[in-house]
Amino acid sequence: MIKLKNPRPVYLKGSSHAVLLLHSFTGTVRDVKGLAQRLNDAGFTTYVPSYKGHGLLLEDLVRADMDDWWQNVLAGYEFLKQEGYETISVAGVSLGGLFTLKLLETFPEIHSGIAMSVPRFKDEVGIFYRLEQYSIRLGKMLGLSEEAHAEQLSHIQNYQLGAQKFCKAIDEIMNGLSEISQPVLMMYGGRDDVTYAESAQNIFDKLKEPKEIRAIAEAGHLMPLGRGQMQTEEMILSYFCHKNV
């Protein structure tokens, strides 16, 4: 079987204001690598941790779950603190947006946050579908045979506990929104499924001030990539520059 390596974290040194950037479920650091560079060009330090199993074959991905990925996020935050950064903001897309909210709930000293394309609930069927799509994309990229691809897909049936953890973690994050006191910008793509616009509004309504909500009409689910990338980057730059006290 083909051996792949975990994508390496991205660390770009800049000013004393650091931004922790968090990628999506079944995505990689590539989700936000361009955004990391754009923020760094504007003077910010940026760091993008890689989640365990992501970018690898499905059999490796399903060996990890929300607990592992949260530990990857915490390690990224601790890394920036150990590097001496006292002003730290966080931004993430999809799963990274969920972790952004959880970090804000957990660490009131975090400066500010941006959460993009955040789901306010998931079911196991949805998690399994994302895993299936991930395996299909990776299988095509690697040129896996039908037999090898079928073997990879068979691992999904063993991920019930991981899917349950995922759904439970979302519920816990949604229940903790009232604990967030830092400035938060909620973002969603106009070309994404309408449920994400509804989710962004629902989360926004539960947050304390100061808070903002913005849509990028041309953006899809992975807002820092694709047609809406430039507008997404401009909005994030504007927000963090304004909050860069």
Side-chain angles (χ1 to χ4, degrees):
M1 184 61 70
I2 297 169
K3 290 293 183 182
L4 299 173
K5 294 182 179 180
N6 265 117
R8 298 181 63 181
V10 175
Y11 181 34
L12 304 174
K13 291 186 178 182
S15 71
S16 59
H17 189 158
V19 181
L20 180 66
L21 295 172
L22 304 172
H23 68 76
S24 68
F25 175 54
T26 70
T28 68
V29 298
R30 176 181 173 272
D31 291 355
V32 291
K33 189 174 182 180
L35 175 58
Q37 186 62 64
R38 187 77 186 277
L39 284 165
N40 184 246
D41 290 343
F44 294 90
T45 291
T46 55
Y47 185 74
V48 186
S50 180
Y51 306 156
K52 182 178 179 181
H54 283 64
L56 305 182
L57 290 168
L58 186 61
E59 65 181 281
D60 298 308
L61 176 58
V62 297
R63 292 192 180 104
D65 58 32
M66 287 289 277
D67 293 337
D68 298 296
W69 306 327
W70 175 239
Q71 289 305 311
N72 296 145
V73 170
L74 288 179
Y77 178 56
E78 289 300 321
F79 171 77
L80 287 174
K81 291 202 297 182
Q82 290 169 9
E83 287 287 288
Y85 297 100
E86 296 182 358
T87 303
I88 300 175
S89 295
V90 59
V93 58
S94 196
L95 173 58
L98 286 166
F99 283 144
T100 292
L101 295 172
K102 185 170 181 177
L103 281 170
L104 293 169
E105 292 171 0
T106 308
F107 302 103
E109 68 271 19
I110 290 178
H111 183 270
S112 51
I114 298 177
M116 296 170 271
S117 307
V118 177
R120 62 187 174 96
F121 63 87
K122 280 281 185 184
D123 57 26
E124 293 180 33
V125 173
I127 302 299
F128 295 151
Y129 175 77
R130 288 289 298 276
L131 291 172
E132 180 181 352
Q133 294 302 304
Y134 172 83
S135 187
I136 291 172
R137 291 196 309 271
L138 199 59
K140 288 180 179 179
M141 184 180 74
L142 296 174
L144 296 182
S145 67
E146 289 187 13
E147 182 181 1
H149 182 228
E151 180 187 349
Q152 288 300 304
L153 288 175
S154 70
H155 293 287
I156 295 177
Q157 63 188 353
N158 299 320
Y159 202 65
Q160 285 90 350
L161 181 58
Q164 290 168 12
K165 280 188 176 183
F166 199 121
C167 299
K168 181 180 178 182
I170 295 177
D171 291 341
E172 291 173 347
I173 292 167
M174 294 302 108
N175 289 335
L177 293 173
S178 62
E179 299 173 18
I180 297 175
S181 58
Q182 306 96 312
V184 181
L185 170 62
M186 297 298 304
M187 296 178 64
Y188 63 92
R191 295 176 54 246
D192 198 1
D193 189 284
V194 67
T195 58
Y196 286 92
E198 295 168 353
S199 175
Q201 186 64 56
N202 181 273
I203 293 170
F204 174 81
D205 290 342
K206 293 178 180 178
L207 292 170
K208 299 175 183 175
E209 297 286 355
K211 59 182 178 179
E212 299 179 36
I213 185 169
R214 296 287 184 271
I216 301 294
E218 289 300 306
H221 186 67
L222 294 181
M223 299 183 69
L225 293 176
R227 283 164 51 179
Q229 178 174 349
M230 184 171 294
Q231 297 96 319
T232 297
E233 290 176 351
E234 291 292 341
M235 185 168 290
I236 291 171
L237 275 169
S238 175
Y239 186 78
F240 278 146
C241 286
H242 175 67
K243 301 299 178 187
N244 188 16
V245 296

